[in-house]
Amino acid sequence: GFESHELAGRICLEFVHPEDRGAVHAAFRRLHGVPGARETLRVRYPHKDGSLRLLESTAVNRLADPDVAAIVCNFRDLTSEADLEARFRATFEHAAVGLAQLNAEGRIVLANERLCAILGYARAELLGLSFRDISHPEDRDVSAGQRARMYAGEIRQFTLRKRYLRKDGATV
């Protein structure tokens, strides 16, 4: 949000959030002695309006290049991505229903607390299990056809009712 004349002559570390300055210092120390070295960090910077922005900062040591003779930094604003991620996490975690995210093999890579409570597992126990592992034996193949259609791009999503097994063996 600053104009270039407002930044001229100022030390860039002034703009780094105080809690992130140590990481920035360490990255520059690592970069300084290694020509061509690259470091990428996620760093908070205050915007001119007082809000904080999350920037991905990539720095490259070009000190040995006589045409540049500097450590060159590029920045990418991740603030909106971080905001979206935070909203997704809050929605996911506070949903009134059990939710899970699966990888292409059908293994659980993300599970909310509600699903853990329904199934009686700790989150760490659920991660890596497949939905087949926790499905009632009579319902294990119920979703196979719909899942194949979704992976083929024929449908974007599907909904179905099926039974699952809790960790204690009870059916839900």
Side-chain angles (χ1 to χ4, degrees):
F2 293 94
E3 300 292 328
S4 59
H5 71 274
E6 294 175 290
L7 301 175
R10 294 184 65 188
I11 298 169
C12 66
L13 209 52
E14 290 178 42
F15 296 98
V16 174
H17 188 280
E19 292 175 12
D20 296 342
R21 288 181 184 157
V24 173
H25 270 293
F28 272 83
R29 278 193 304 275
R30 288 189 300 271
L31 280 171
H32 192 264
V34 184
R38 173 185 306 263
E39 289 274 342
T40 300
L41 306 166
R42 288 182 173 206
V43 180
R44 294 167 292 171
Y45 291 87
H47 190 272
K48 187 176 181 177
D49 67 10
S51 65
L52 278 181
R53 301 295 167 108
L54 177 64
L55 302 182
E56 181 180 74
S57 306
T58 300
V60 180
N61 180 339
R62 303 281 308 271
L63 292 168
D65 181 340
D67 293 329
V68 179
I71 293 178
V72 178
C73 297
N74 293 299
F75 300 93
R76 183 169 68 108
D77 191 343
L78 301 177
T79 306
S80 61
E81 292 174 32
D83 290 345
L84 288 172
E85 174 70 16
R87 275 189 247 143
F88 167 78
R89 291 255 177 222
T91 300
F92 188 85
E93 280 305 321
H94 300 293
V97 297
L99 297 172
Q101 186 178 57
L102 310 178
N103 64 16
E105 292 81 42
R107 299 213 170 271
I108 300 170
V109 294
L110 194 60
N112 72 353
E113 263 318 305
R114 184 69 183 127
L115 182 64
C116 294
I118 290 168
L119 296 175
Y121 286 90
R123 190 184 318 250
E125 294 173 309
L126 272 178
L127 299 180
L129 292 179
S130 71
F131 254 74
R132 188 169 177 76
D133 294 334
I134 58 174
S135 293
H136 188 281
E138 294 173 14
D139 293 347
R140 286 193 175 132
D141 296 320
V142 168
S143 61
Q146 293 290 70
R147 196 170 49 252
R149 289 184 62 213
M150 187 173 70
Y151 291 151
E154 296 173 20
I155 58 174
R156 292 186 59 212
Q157 64 187 27
F158 65 92
T159 303
L160 54 87
R161 287 186 171 270
K162 64 187 266 189
R163 296 168 290 177
Y164 293 96
L165 296 176
R166 289 180 42 85
K167 182 179 177 179
D168 64 13
T171 300
V172 290

